[in-house]
Amino acid sequence: MARPDFTDALQPHPDANGAKMISKERQRSAIDIDELSTHLFGTTYLQRQQNVLNILKPERILSKDNQANLSRPDRYKLGLARGKRMRQLMDIHGWNEADLLMAEYLVDDLQPYHLHLSLFNSAMREQSSDAQRAYWIPKIESWEIIGAYAQTELGHGSNIRGVELQVTWDQTTKEFVLHISGGTMLPHGDGGELVSYGPLPFIVRVRDRRTHLPPSSIVVGDIGPKYGYAPIDNAYMLFNNHRIAHNCLLSRYASVDPDTGAYTKPANPTSVYGSLTRGRAVIVMSARLVLMRAVTVAVRYLSIRRQFRDRDSPQSEGPESSVLDYSTVQVRVLPLLAATFALHYSGEAMRELYERTRSTIALDGDRGQLAELHSTSAGLKSLATDLAANGIETCRRAMGGHGFGGGTGLVQLNADYLSKPTVEGDNWMITQQAARYLLNRVEDVGRSPEQESKSRTEANLREYQTRASTPPKITELSDKAIAEAFQWRASFLAFEAHRSHYVQKRSWNSMLIELYKLSRSYAQSMLVSNFYEAMQQNSLSSPHTAAVLRDLYRLFALSTMDTEAREFQKSGAVAGEVLDTLPEQILKLMQSIRPHAVRLVDAFALPDFLLDSALGRYDGTVYEDLFNRAHRLNPLNRVTFNPDYWSDEIVMGSKDGGQILAKQ
Amino acid sequence: MARPDFTDALQPHPDANGAKMISKERQRSAIDIDELSTHLFGTTYLQRQQNVLNILKPERILSKDNQANLSRPDRYKLGLARGKRMRQLMDIHGWNEADLLMAEYLVDDLQPYHLHLSLFNSAMREQSSDAQRAYWIPKIESWEIIGAYAQTELGHGSNIRGVELQVTWDQTTKEFVLHISGGTMLPHGDGGELVSYGPLPFIVRVRDRRTHLPPSSIVVGDIGPKYGYAPIDNAYMLFNNHRIAHNCLLSRYASVDPDTGAYTKPANPTSVYGSLTRGRAVIVMSARLVLMRAVTVAVRYLSIRRQFRDRDSPQSEGPESSVLDYSTVQVRVLPLLAATFALHYSGEAMRELYERTRSTIALDGDRGQLAELHSTSAGLKSLATDLAANGIETCRRAMGGHGFGGGTGLVQLNADYLSKPTVEGDNWMITQQAARYLLNRVEDVGRSPEQESKSRTEANLREYQTRASTPPKITELSDKAIAEAFQWRASFLAFEAHRSHYVQKRSWNSMLIELYKLSRSYAQSMLVSNFYEAMQQNSLSSPHTAAVLRDLYRLFALSTMDTEAREFQKSGAVAGEVLDTLPEQILKLMQSIRPHAVRLVDAFALPDFLLDSALGRYDGTVYEDLFNRAHRLNPLNRVTFNPDYWSDEIVMGSKDGGQILAKQ
């Protein structure tokens, strides 16, 4: 803590009183914040958030005050300590898994135990035989063992055929031998000859239970500082003729007979559409939370921040204009505010579809929808994580100079989230999955134009096929017409790509950019359609809030349309002169949404504890918090430095002779 | 260092031998790297880079091996120690200022002395009277004093009228009194009444020469961790009735009579077009260096990285495809490769114009050009820094999973460079300057259509005015026609905006988004025109290299045109059916440039010392370097952790009881 000085008595300038300003902002709108929060998250979630938050707040180790000042090794140690504490709190308060995940989310550290909770846990459940489950799952749940998950290699990512690790079955000792092969990729078969059976899942004890050191046949470690995720160790691991027992092969699907070495192939894997769809819904829902966070900070700060008076205003005195009143700021932030709702309704639609098909025996139609949603959700993952990752940075830049400071609370969020566009399916590569599905559906529709459609997309494609010669060229942008225009454009691109590939025989690889655009247009159409349908089933009792949500729907759809205007024109979805009016319509929608912006982000119900943001504080005391962080919390200000270049001393009077840095 | 283990003997897989692959890449192209390097940088620059590099390399304190692991306070201390060492090297080797700046660039730390060298130095030279210069400049040059530069306030950025610091002239003691005013912004006048004279420049001693502590009337400190720039202290400072002598007012322009307190207004400031233009040229040239860095890393790594075999290829064996062969990767990276050249030729054009007008008495035409370049270069700053900042991230994502790791060498670059879109004129706000200038020129042209044009823009606007009723709708995209299409579109938007503001009387603030688009279109046109003209004056002796540069010109221009296709169509600059062919033309250009990509980035001559990138190494030993960084250099791997959640111990066997974190 800094010693007392004259700044202790200072108050912010009346024109920069954020608390007053944000309270005025809240008076400008009649949106019922609680109702909208419940609409978005439900009471169970909000209650859990509040309960867990109350438990986390008093924990000193979870305070975020100093974490941005720590070295990467210390940041890891802190992450480990926090991970332990959260698990202890689970015991103390009888939390379930959802509570623990909520705690991890609020603490905002991806703890070193994260893979144990997620990929290790689910892989062990999915791949283990019943006997293996009975043995391992209790140890996993009690954290008696801590697991990780290893799959890709340094030089190999998506293409598992390139993997270099070799596993050999040794019939004499009845062990598997794991070895970095340095050339051959063929595991030994059951006889003397080499037979490759492709990748198989094993569980391997990596470290000694007592010393926690690996054996000499395993080299394992952390890859070092990366873009974000300082508190987690991403590992590398190599095996040098490392031997494991027969029962280390997870044998729910594939197995090796210990007596003969005979290999049993896995049966056709059961449909995983359901759980994958649920997984993608989680990604979309998480993208919305991340974007909500960036937008909350930006909207609160930009409504408080003043910059110049309106030049066309008669008054030359009075407070300067709120930065959020400038259209060049609105156009960056408000469409993202609208996008959070678009992501929400699509994530919710995916989750509901998953729940519905899981709990009832799926009708044919539903199964078609689910298969479709699975395939096309690759495109949605790509679009949603791009929207969120780019959105954080757009919000940050909209905040000008202070957006570069640590007071945003977005520095770590941005660094962490930037992994998302490239993991769990690279955002460019996976668009091929969605495009492939769409091209196959066009093929179906072309082959049997009269058949009944098995999914909504098929119906849309049939509709397009019937009317392709007379494009709608929409002139009235009603809410419904907007959604139809997005569908028309996506269908147009699907038929175009189909013609290129099947008729003009262009190779798949030469079409990758078009396929990317097709996937994106389809994903945008899904976001718009799901938003539109949510508006139709509107469950809000306040017509006022519903009207603002409708403006948000139109803002999201029309600003997306404006960015892609040429495709809408070329496909004949919307008339050219109507596309020319989009900038003006967008401007009006933004003006209409502007007074509600602060209440809308309040409804996101993101606690200050999570935001860790001076600029995005609920109470608006931006400048007080910024000054407190700088003057009172910054450890650099507890040291006086020696500025003379001819002296090697760094800390004034310490006679360190520059040796302070010898440790590196 | 890690202990010896079996990994010491490992070699990379033959299919992942980066050294061989990159050497094959270099054999695919006949570009003369040295000639192109000299074309881009000149021999003086390249020689300086080599000389300074040779001196820096053996300095242990400048090794970048561990810096990403340091805490922010340690990172600052290291930055200070490096700053001292570089200044010592200046003495030892007789460096001039350009050598020192080259050292700072190669070390890639914005040292704590940076403001002393830049803003403090230039402000003192520009604002001091002759007597003040004679006193201060020697002390500044010898670093006897170290200065900083303070201008904006916590709640005030661009609008200097809002500043809260109050300076009062005290006639009795003949001192100025600096005080945070907390309300009034009126300095005292020479009589009893209060008169405001707006902002004035002062030099203030902030810290005691011996103890380096501030007096109790000054509070000063570092603002704390921010997005990037860990080794520099960005300060805050407050004054509590702090008194300074009369000669602390820098009085080249404004002055106060010490006997009467009478204030003398500055004369009209002399034209600063020249030095501002030079400053903007520096920003553009720096943006090109930053983008070159990201592109160098991406091109080298992506040409080495393999992923899948070509599905349409007859061979099912053989090495996988180079990732850079995929069009979806090319379309992200190669237009940025082309953009580095576009930035280069525009930066060079600006610098040449500045040099020409400085050394000769400017002709009227030149003065018009310079005034124009100054005004419109605001748009160029905005576009160039956006291109570079976004380009780093695009390159990073194109590298997939490894793009998120620390081995890119782009983590710090990205964090540092993200300040640029918002400092030295926020990229959205300053586009108003360029737009204002263009609207005024349209007004001139409309008033006196027959007059001779004073600048190229005026000529373009006149040309547009004459032909506005018959838009060119270009059907043949010759090199020249492309440049003209960019000019036409910018002129179209300028006349449209002019009509909105002057004829339809729309307010300036309601037009900000259109004005942003206008500025951007004009800046794009400048980049394309300068690139085109450089192609015409081509000084390369190798026709082969010239042909590749022409492809790069077309790729930059056509991919920009494709992104903005609807404006080109609407303005009548290019025919719609020609715009439809752009994706195919871009694809062909990328295929044609692809074999030259590695040699092109080699010509950027960026030393490995600067890049600090495992992925972007000149010698291609990507995987060896990644493994070395992870396994041998990572300090986290020297510690074994205790994973049991029921134990508070963090480091295994240390009995630390979690106390390791008590320091925070």
Side-chain angles (χ1 to χ4, degrees):
Chain A
M1 278 292 156
R3 276 170 299 184
D5 58 45
F6 67 84
T7 65
D8 297 339
L10 288 180
Q11 294 293 325
H13 189 282
D15 284 354
N17 189 323
K20 264 194 196 158
M21 288 176 194
I22 204 156
S23 123
K24 270 192 195 162
E25 285 282 344
R26 292 190 172 112
Q27 288 161 23
R28 295 174 69 185
S29 163
I31 283 182
D32 183 333
I33 294 171
D34 288 339
E35 187 198 31
L36 185 53
S37 282
T38 309
H39 169 75
L40 288 171
F41 300 102
T43 45
T44 312
Y45 178 95
L46 292 170
Q47 196 57 56
R48 169 171 292 126
Q49 176 169 285
Q50 194 54 54
N51 291 345
V52 172
L53 185 64
N54 290 342
I55 291 167
L56 299 179
K57 269 183 171 171
E59 298 285 329
R60 234 180 72 85
I61 203 168
L62 304 181
S63 157
K64 301 176 187 182
D65 280 355
N66 193 42
Q67 68 186 34
N69 283 304
L70 297 181
S71 70
R72 202 261 153 161
D74 280 351
R75 198 69 189 72
Y76 176 78
K77 289 172 188 168
L78 179 62
L80 183 58
R82 285 174 170 178
K84 291 184 179 201
R85 186 61 190 152
M86 284 189 273
R87 184 62 180 74
Q88 292 167 3
L89 292 172
M90 189 180 190
D91 287 354
I92 296 168
H93 299 281
W95 284 350
N96 60 22
E97 201 191 325
D99 294 321
L100 184 62
L101 290 175
M102 174 62 83
E104 193 184 32
Y105 160 68
L106 291 171
V107 171
D108 200 27
D109 252 11
L110 206 61
Q111 40 165 324
Y113 299 111
H114 186 79
L115 282 196
H116 175 78
L117 288 170
S118 52
L119 281 176
F120 176 65
N121 188 9
S122 58
M124 287 300 291
R125 282 170 199 271
E126 282 161 21
Q127 304 287 339
S128 294
S129 66
D130 289 343
Q132 288 171 324
R133 278 188 191 166
Y135 180 79
W136 288 115
I137 301 300
K139 292 184 201 298
I140 292 169
E141 288 187 342
S142 67
W143 291 29
E144 189 187 324
I145 63 161
I146 299 295
Y149 184 86
Q151 180 173 300
T152 60
E153 292 184 352
L154 197 54
H156 305 278
S158 310
N159 184 14
I160 49 170
R161 287 191 55 195
V163 165
E164 292 171 49
L165 180 69
Q166 170 187 316
V167 181
T168 317
W169 170 247
D170 183 340
Q171 185 61 55
T172 53
T173 63
K174 303 199 176 176
E175 288 170 321
F176 291 103
V177 185
L178 279 63
H179 188 61
I180 181 157
S181 67
T184 169
M185 275 154 283
L186 298 168
H188 285 265
D190 54 329
E193 82 286 19
L194 300 172
V195 183
S196 169
Y197 292 114
L200 289 172
F202 294 90
I203 179 167
V204 182
R205 175 180 292 284
V206 175
R207 293 174 180 273
D208 181 83
R209 184 77 197 84
R210 201 181 46 80
T211 65
H212 209 55
L213 290 170
S216 63
S217 52
I218 297 182
V219 156
V220 63
D222 167 75
I223 60 164
K226 49 202 176 274
Y227 214 90
Y229 293 142
I232 202 171
D233 47 335
N234 287 69
Y236 60 93
M237 183 162 56
L238 298 97
F239 299 98
N240 188 28
N241 287 310
H242 181 74
R243 292 179 165 264
I244 55 177
H246 171 263
N247 63 10
C248 292
L249 172 64
L250 300 181
S251 51
R252 168 150 300 264
Y253 301 111
S255 62
V256 170
D257 184 319
D259 296 325
T260 64
Y263 175 72
T264 311
K265 269 204 312 192
N268 275 338
T270 51
S271 165
V272 288
Y273 286 168
S275 66
L276 278 173
T277 301
R278 187 172 170 279
R280 295 243 163 96
V282 169
I283 291 177
V284 172
M285 285 308 226
S286 154
R288 110 197 184 284
L289 279 177
V290 163
L291 194 51
M292 281 177 174
R293 221 165 123 181
V295 169
T296 297
V297 173
V299 163
R300 285 186 182 154
Y301 170 66
L302 293 169
S303 71
I304 288 170
R305 179 72 175 183
R306 264 39 185 177
Q307 191 90 289
F308 296 110
R309 293 181 182 81
D310 186 349
R311 287 168 199 198
D312 298 314
S313 145
Q315 296 138 317
S316 70
E317 288 304 313
E320 305 176 58
S321 303
S322 160
V323 171
L324 195 54
D325 290 335
Y326 289 100
S327 57
T328 34
V329 172
Q330 291 176 353
V331 80
R332 288 179 280 170
V333 174
L334 297 185
L336 292 174
L337 173 57
T340 61
F341 287 89
L343 291 172
H344 170 76
Y345 293 120
S346 276
E348 203 171 51
M350 289 165 82
R351 197 160 57 184
E352 274 169 14
L353 191 54
Y354 165 73
E355 301 291 347
R356 204 161 63 231
T357 49
R358 201 184 58 158
S359 59
T360 66
I361 295 160
L363 299 172
D364 267 358
D366 265 345
R367 210 179 289 153
Q369 288 287 24
L370 195 55
E372 167 171 306
L373 190 54
H374 161 64
S375 307
T376 51
S377 65
L380 209 50
K381 182 269 170 185
S382 173
L383 179 61
T385 54
D386 268 11
L387 272 172
N390 300 342
I392 299 168
E393 177 60 14
T394 300
C395 286
R396 197 194 63 71
R397 287 192 204 171
M399 293 188 280
H402 283 309
F404 194 69
T408 58
L410 301 183
V411 174
Q412 185 189 311
L413 179 71
N414 203 358
D416 288 351
Y417 199 76
L418 285 183
S419 63
K420 287 290 175 293
T422 49
V423 298
E424 295 169 78
D426 178 89
N427 275 2
W428 280 71
M429 199 157 70
I430 57 169
T431 57
Q432 293 181 53
Q433 292 175 25
R436 175 79 71 185
Y437 176 84
L438 289 168
L439 261 59
N440 288 342
R441 291 298 77 68
V442 173
E443 186 72 3
D444 290 351
V445 166
R447 279 206 196 112
S448 9
E450 301 307 317
Q451 220 170 328
E452 208 189 327
S453 296
K454 284 202 282 294
S455 67
R456 196 197 294 172
T457 295
E458 247 187 68
N460 287 335
L461 291 170
R462 274 180 220 284
E463 158 95 4
Y464 174 87
Q465 195 178 34
T466 320
R467 295 176 50 196
S469 55
T470 53
K473 294 192 178 169
I474 289 166
T475 50
E476 271 293 313
L477 289 173
S478 72
D479 295 356
K480 187 161 177 244
I482 291 172
E484 286 169 355
F486 273 87
Q487 284 161 8
W488 182 272
R489 160 190 170 236
S491 299
F492 169 83
L493 292 176
F495 274 85
E496 292 270 297
H498 179 268
R499 183 165 47 242
S500 289
H501 191 54
Y502 286 83
V503 183
Q504 296 165 1
K505 303 289 178 199
R506 281 183 53 205
S507 76
W508 188 259
N509 270 9
S510 73
M511 290 175 57
L512 294 179
I513 299 173
E514 285 147 84
L515 298 170
Y516 172 80
K517 287 182 185 168
L518 166 60
S519 165
R520 192 176 54 183
S521 79
Y522 188 84
Q524 287 170 341
S525 174
M526 283 198 282
L527 289 182
V528 169
S529 291
N530 288 325
F531 204 156
Y532 172 70
E533 276 157 33
M535 293 300 94
Q536 302 318 106
Q537 307 152 8
N538 173 28
S539 59
L540 291 160
S541 64
S542 152
H544 183 75
T545 307
V548 177
L549 286 193
R550 188 189 160 227
D551 281 346
L552 288 167
Y553 162 69
R554 294 182 64 84
L555 178 59
F556 174 74
L558 297 186
S559 54
T560 305
M561 188 184 282
D562 189 38
T563 312
E564 318 274 2
R566 200 153 181 282
E567 277 183 6
F568 280 89
Q569 183 167 21
K570 235 186 103 183
S571 64
V574 181
E577 52 289 9
V578 174
L579 292 169
D580 291 342
T581 67
L582 290 178
E584 203 188 319
Q585 292 198 55
I586 290 166
L587 209 59
K588 280 189 187 147
L589 285 166
M590 295 193 303
Q591 282 161 358
S592 157
I593 291 164
R594 166 67 186 92
H596 309 288
V598 169
R599 276 187 175 250
L600 284 168
V601 302
D602 285 350
F604 296 161
L606 301 175
D608 280 345
F609 179 83
L610 172 73
L611 294 176
D612 186 30
S613 169
L615 305 188
R617 292 174 67 95
Y618 179 83
D619 68 7
T621 55
V622 170
Y623 299 112
E624 296 91 322
D625 194 345
L626 281 175
F627 186 69
N628 187 52
R629 285 166 188 251
H631 189 50
R632 306 201 181 90
L633 299 181
N634 182 2
L636 208 60
N637 292 332
R638 286 162 218 157
V639 183
T640 305
F641 293 98
N642 178 338
D644 301 332
Y645 84 85
W646 52 87
S647 161
D648 285 339
E649 185 182 72
I650 299 298
V651 174
M652 196 75 184
S654 71
K655 302 201 169 60
D656 56 42
Q659 290 307 305
I660 202 156
L661 299 152
K663 65 171 174 178
Q664 65 113 20
Chain B
M1 277 293 156
R3 277 170 300 183
D5 57 45
F6 67 85
T7 64
D8 298 339
L10 289 179
Q11 294 293 325
H13 190 283
D15 284 355
N17 189 323
K20 264 194 197 158
M21 289 177 192
I22 205 157
S23 124
K24 271 192 193 160
E25 285 283 344
R26 291 191 173 111
Q27 288 161 22
R28 295 174 69 185
S29 163
I31 283 182
D32 183 333
I33 294 171
D34 288 339
E35 187 198 30
L36 185 53
S37 282
T38 310
H39 170 75
L40 289 170
F41 299 102
T43 45
T44 312
Y45 178 94
L46 292 170
Q47 196 57 57
R48 170 172 292 125
Q49 177 168 284
Q50 194 54 54
N51 291 345
V52 171
L53 184 63
N54 291 341
I55 291 168
L56 299 178
K57 269 182 169 172
E59 297 285 330
R60 234 178 73 83
I61 203 168
L62 304 181
S63 157
K64 300 175 187 182
D65 280 355
N66 193 41
Q67 69 187 33
N69 283 303
L70 297 182
S71 71
R72 203 260 153 161
D74 280 351
R75 197 70 188 73
Y76 176 79
K77 289 172 188 167
L78 178 62
L80 183 59
R82 286 174 170 179
K84 290 183 181 200
R85 186 60 190 153
M86 284 189 273
R87 183 63 179 75
Q88 291 167 3
L89 291 172
M90 188 180 190
D91 287 355
I92 296 168
H93 299 281
W95 284 351
N96 60 21
E97 201 192 323
D99 295 320
L100 184 62
L101 290 175
M102 175 62 81
E104 193 185 31
Y105 160 69
L106 291 171
V107 171
D108 200 27
D109 252 10
L110 206 62
Q111 41 166 322
Y113 298 110
H114 186 79
L115 282 196
H116 174 79
L117 288 169
S118 52
L119 281 176
F120 176 65
N121 188 7
S122 58
M124 287 299 290
R125 283 170 199 271
E126 281 161 22
Q127 303 287 339
S128 294
S129 66
D130 289 344
Q132 287 171 324
R133 277 187 192 168
Y135 181 79
W136 288 114
I137 300 300
K139 291 184 200 300
I140 292 169
E141 288 186 341
S142 68
W143 290 29
E144 188 186 324
I145 64 161
I146 300 295
Y149 184 85
Q151 181 174 300
T152 60
E153 292 183 353
L154 197 55
H156 305 278
S158 309
N159 184 13
I160 49 171
R161 286 192 55 196
V163 165
E164 293 172 48
L165 179 69
Q166 170 186 314
V167 180
T168 318
W169 170 246
D170 182 339
Q171 186 62 54
T172 53
T173 63
K174 303 199 175 175
E175 287 170 322
F176 291 102
V177 185
L178 279 62
H179 189 60
I180 181 157
S181 65
T184 169
M185 275 153 281
L186 296 169
H188 284 266
D190 54 328
E193 83 286 18
L194 299 172
V195 184
S196 169
Y197 292 114
L200 288 173
F202 293 90
I203 180 168
V204 182
R205 175 180 291 284
V206 174
R207 292 175 181 273
D208 180 83
R209 184 78 196 83
R210 201 179 48 80
T211 65
H212 209 56
L213 290 170
S216 63
S217 52
I218 296 182
V219 157
V220 63
D222 166 74
I223 60 164
K226 49 201 175 275
Y227 214 90
Y229 294 142
I232 203 172
D233 47 335
N234 287 69
Y236 61 93
M237 184 163 54
L238 299 96
F239 298 98
N240 188 28
N241 287 310
H242 181 73
R243 292 179 165 263
I244 54 177
H246 170 263
N247 62 12
C248 292
L249 172 65
L250 299 181
S251 50
R252 170 149 301 262
Y253 301 111
S255 63
V256 170
D257 185 319
D259 295 326
T260 64
Y263 174 71
T264 310
K265 270 205 309 193
N268 276 338
T270 52
S271 166
V272 288
Y273 286 166
S275 66
L276 278 174
T277 301
R278 188 173 169 280
R280 295 243 162 97
V282 169
I283 291 176
V284 173
M285 286 308 225
S286 154
R288 110 197 184 284
L289 279 177
V290 163
L291 194 52
M292 281 177 175
R293 222 165 124 178
V295 169
T296 297
V297 173
V299 163
R300 285 186 182 154
Y301 170 68
L302 293 169
S303 70
I304 289 171
R305 179 73 175 181
R306 275 9 191 200
Q307 190 88 290
F308 297 110
R309 292 181 184 82
D310 187 348
R311 288 169 198 196
D312 297 314
S313 145
Q315 297 138 316
S316 69
E317 289 304 314
E320 304 177 58
S321 303
S322 158
V323 171
L324 195 53
D325 290 335
Y326 289 100
S327 58
T328 34
V329 172
Q330 291 176 355
V331 80
R332 288 179 278 169
V333 174
L334 297 185
L336 291 174
L337 172 58
T340 61
F341 287 88
L343 291 172
H344 170 76
Y345 293 120
S346 277
E348 202 170 51
M350 289 165 83
R351 196 159 59 184
E352 273 169 15
L353 191 54
Y354 165 73
E355 300 292 348
R356 204 161 62 232
T357 49
R358 201 183 59 158
S359 58
T360 65
I361 294 159
L363 299 171
D364 266 359
D366 265 345
R367 210 180 288 154
Q369 288 288 23
L370 194 56
E372 167 171 304
L373 189 54
H374 161 65
S375 306
T376 52
S377 65
L380 209 50
K381 182 269 171 186
S382 173
L383 179 61
T385 54
D386 268 11
L387 271 172
N390 300 342
I392 299 168
E393 177 60 12
T394 300
C395 286
R396 196 193 65 70
R397 287 192 205 172
M399 292 187 281
H402 283 308
F404 194 68
T408 59
L410 301 182
V411 174
Q412 184 189 310
L413 179 71
N414 203 358
D416 287 351
Y417 199 76
L418 285 182
S419 62
K420 287 291 175 292
T422 48
V423 298
E424 294 168 78
D426 177 88
N427 274 3
W428 280 72
M429 198 158 70
I430 57 168
T431 57
Q432 293 182 54
Q433 291 174 25
R436 174 79 72 186
Y437 176 84
L438 289 168
L439 262 59
N440 287 342
R441 292 297 76 69
V442 173
E443 186 73 3
D444 289 352
V445 166
R447 278 204 197 113
S448 5
E450 301 306 320
Q451 220 169 328
E452 208 190 328
S453 295
K454 285 202 280 295
S455 67
R456 196 197 292 171
T457 295
E458 248 188 68
N460 287 335
L461 291 170
R462 274 182 221 283
E463 158 95 3
Y464 174 88
Q465 195 180 34
T466 319
R467 295 177 48 196
S469 55
T470 54
K473 295 194 179 167
I474 290 167
T475 52
E476 271 295 312
L477 288 173
S478 71
D479 295 356
K480 187 162 179 241
I482 291 171
E484 285 169 355
F486 274 87
Q487 284 161 8
W488 182 273
R489 161 191 170 235
S491 298
F492 169 83
L493 292 176
F495 273 85
E496 291 271 298
H498 179 269
R499 182 164 50 243
S500 290
H501 191 53
Y502 287 84
V503 182
Q504 296 165 0
K505 302 288 179 200
R506 282 183 53 203
S507 76
W508 187 259
N509 270 9
S510 73
M511 290 175 57
L512 293 179
I513 299 173
E514 286 147 83
L515 298 170
Y516 172 80
K517 288 182 185 168
L518 167 60
S519 165
R520 194 177 53 184
S521 78
Y522 188 84
Q524 287 171 340
S525 173
M526 283 197 281
L527 288 182
V528 169
S529 291
N530 288 326
F531 203 155
Y532 172 70
E533 275 157 33
M535 292 301 94
Q536 301 318 106
Q537 308 153 8
N538 172 27
S539 58
L540 290 160
S541 64
S542 153
H544 184 76
T545 308
V548 177
L549 286 193
R550 189 188 158 226
D551 280 346
L552 288 167
Y553 162 69
R554 294 182 65 86
L555 177 60
F556 174 74
L558 297 186
S559 54
T560 306
M561 188 184 281
D562 189 39
T563 312
E564 318 274 1
R566 200 152 182 282
E567 277 182 8
F568 280 88
Q569 183 168 21
K570 236 186 102 185
S571 65
V574 181
E577 51 290 7
V578 174
L579 292 169
D580 290 343
T581 68
L582 289 178
E584 204 189 317
Q585 291 198 54
I586 289 166
L587 210 59
K588 281 190 187 145
L589 285 166
M590 294 194 303
Q591 282 162 358
S592 156
I593 290 164
R594 165 66 187 91
H596 308 288
V598 169
R599 277 187 176 250
L600 284 169
V601 302
D602 285 350
F604 296 161
L606 302 175
D608 280 345
F609 180 84
L610 172 72
L611 294 176
D612 186 30
S613 168
L615 305 189
R617 291 174 66 95
Y618 178 83
D619 68 7
T621 56
V622 170
Y623 299 112
E624 297 91 322
D625 194 346
L626 280 175
F627 186 69
N628 187 51
R629 284 167 189 249
H631 189 50
R632 307 203 180 88
L633 299 181
N634 182 1
L636 208 60
N637 292 334
R638 285 163 219 156
V639 184
T640 305
F641 295 98
N642 179 338
D644 300 334
Y645 84 85
W646 51 87
S647 162
D648 285 338
E649 184 182 74
I650 299 297
V651 175
M652 196 75 184
S654 71
K655 302 199 169 60
D656 57 41
Q659 290 307 305
I660 203 155
L661 298 153
K663 64 173 175 176
Q664 63 112 24

